[in-house]
Amino acid sequence: MEIEKILLGQSSEKENYVYPENSMPGSEAFSICFNGGYFNGEKTCIGGKGISGYHILTEGSLMCTYNDGRKIKVEAGDIFNCETEDRVELEGNAGIFNMIMGNGVRGFIRTFQLKGKKMMRVGEGVGESYIAFIGLNGTFTLEYEGEKFYCEKDSAVIVHAGKKEFGRVVLTADGEDISVAAASGVQLLKHDFGKFIGVRFLERSEGYCKARLDIRPDHMNPIGTVHGGCLFTLADAVCGMAASSIGGVSTTVDSHIQFLNAAFRPKYLIAESFPKKIGRKIRSFCVEIKDDQDKLIATVDFIFYSLQD
């Protein structure tokens, strides 16, 4: 594993960390970029370039106006996302940390309270992964195999694990109770069947995901309704994303689909995943799938087992 510390800088346009080295957002080689900066009251637009992003405010507040009319006010510690077709206008005074993702990357930002020491398992099986740790209200130390990295204000520690490379890092709070943001991304490359059939994510947050599938002729069965396997794939994609957002690697141990209404040639389907119970190891979710007329087509129950220590 490779570990490095970066300074977040003063400009939100500055790219502090890009993989591969020297590639640019939107280019064919671009995978993931971490950066940070500060807004000083000016209006700034992000998104609209076919890439997605996850963002967390380190201080202050912003008003986020999306191109579909949504308006969200975010405060220090709040997380918001910008999907591939979103264009978001930001206005306010705030510090921000960004994780910008190119094609084939699944990523999230989540927060947790660091009390004393915490051991975390890092790495995933399907592709190279990156995780950036940022202290939101204090400082901490990250240790891996005897090497220590001190993370103070306006800095981040980034861990890079290769495909099927796993390790354990230890985070130690420099105080009694530190709020830490963890921005993690994994390169799915070709391991993304949901994207292959056209699943497009609309909204993501910790434990929640909403996605859309525009229906094509190859999604249909011989009697003119959306194929049951297509419905289940949509549910599996949205629920897998929600389960992963909790942190660590999860695997499905049980699932059950209920077909409630036939989907007769809809223009699109919308799936939303909600957590039912999140335990230390067992994570239970429900997915609702509706058509373009807001008719409930199916519900799907999933149970995941967390492989995170």
Side-chain angles (χ1 to χ4, degrees), residues 104 106 125-127 163 187-196:
R106 181 191 70 206
V126 297
K163 182 178 179 181
Q187 297 181 51
L188 298 177
L189 301 177
K190 298 179 180 179
H191 307 286
D192 194 355
F193 183 63
K195 182 179 178 181
F196 175 77

Side-chain angles (χ1 to χ4, degrees), residues 6-282:
I6 65 169
L7 298 178
L8 299 182
Q10 298 300 314
S11 169
S12 61
E13 299 299 321
K14 177 178 172 59
E15 290 162 11
N16 298 96
Y17 186 84
V18 177
Y19 180 86
E21 185 177 2
N22 299 324
S23 63
M24 297 296 293
S27 72
E28 190 172 317
F30 170 73
S31 291
I32 189 168
C33 168
F34 296 116
N35 65 45
Y38 198 87
F39 294 99
N40 292 300
E42 73 279 9
K43 289 185 178 181
T44 303
C45 288
I46 61 174
K49 300 178 181 178
I51 56 178
S52 58
Y54 252 70
H55 316 271
I56 183 168
L57 292 199
T58 56
E59 57 183 296
S61 65
L62 286 176
M63 178 60 71
C64 306
T65 303
Y66 287 76
N67 55 341
D68 61 5
R70 285 178 291 149
K71 289 190 175 183
I72 303 173
K73 185 176 182 180
V74 291
E75 307 282 354
D78 289 345
I79 300 165
F80 68 98
N81 64 306
C82 180
E83 298 298 343
T84 55
E85 296 186 7
D86 287 335
R87 182 72 171 166
V88 187
E89 181 184 84
L90 307 178
E91 184 176 13
N93 293 279
I96 192 170
F97 178 83
N98 309 296
M99 178 173 66
I100 312 300
M101 298 171 288
N103 292 327
V105 175
R106 181 191 70 206
F108 306 93
I109 297 179
R110 65 187 185 96
T111 60
F112 59 89
Q113 296 304 117
L114 180 59
K115 301 179 180 179
K117 290 188 176 183
K118 180 180 179 67
M119 180 179 291
M120 294 186 63
R121 181 178 185 266
V122 295
E124 295 207 29
V126 297
E128 293 186 69
S129 62
Y130 301 81
I131 181 167
F133 295 99
I134 309 100
L136 298 179
N137 65 341
T139 59
F140 65 93
T141 301
L142 181 146
E143 182 176 359
Y144 175 69
E145 293 186 344
E147 189 173 6
K148 294 183 178 181
F149 299 82
Y150 183 66
C151 190
E152 68 273 17
K153 182 177 174 57
D154 294 328
S155 67
V157 176
I158 299 175
V159 180
H160 169 208
K163 182 178 179 181
K164 296 184 179 180
E165 182 182 14
F166 302 96
R168 287 176 171 82
V169 298
V170 177
L171 305 180
T172 304
D174 187 14
E176 294 185 358
D177 194 356
I178 305 299
S179 181
V180 176
S184 58
V186 58
Q187 297 181 51
L188 298 177
L189 301 177
K190 298 179 180 179
H191 307 286
D192 194 355
F193 183 63
K195 182 179 178 181
F196 175 77
I197 72 164
V199 176
R200 178 164 55 88
F201 296 108
L202 302 177
E203 298 177 36
R204 287 180 274 180
S205 60
E206 188 167 336
Y208 169 80
C209 187
K210 181 178 181 180
R212 170 172 170 149
L213 177 64
D214 291 323
I215 299 304
R216 309 188 303 247
D218 51 344
H219 293 146
M220 311 298 287
N221 63 25
I223 63 172
T225 65
V226 178
H227 195 284
C230 184
L231 293 172
F232 189 85
T233 296
L234 171 60
D236 190 42
V238 74
C239 200
M241 188 70 74
S244 297
S245 72
I246 305 292
V249 181
S250 295
T251 183
T252 306
V253 294
D254 189 42
S255 60
H256 178 68
I257 186 169
Q258 302 87 42
F259 298 103
L260 304 177
N261 289 288
F264 284 104
R265 297 184 175 84
K267 294 180 180 178
Y268 60 84
L269 296 172
I270 298 290
E272 288 185 273
S273 179
F274 307 92
K276 295 169 67 176
K277 182 177 180 180
I278 305 299
R280 191 179 71 86
K281 285 293 186 181
I282 301 298

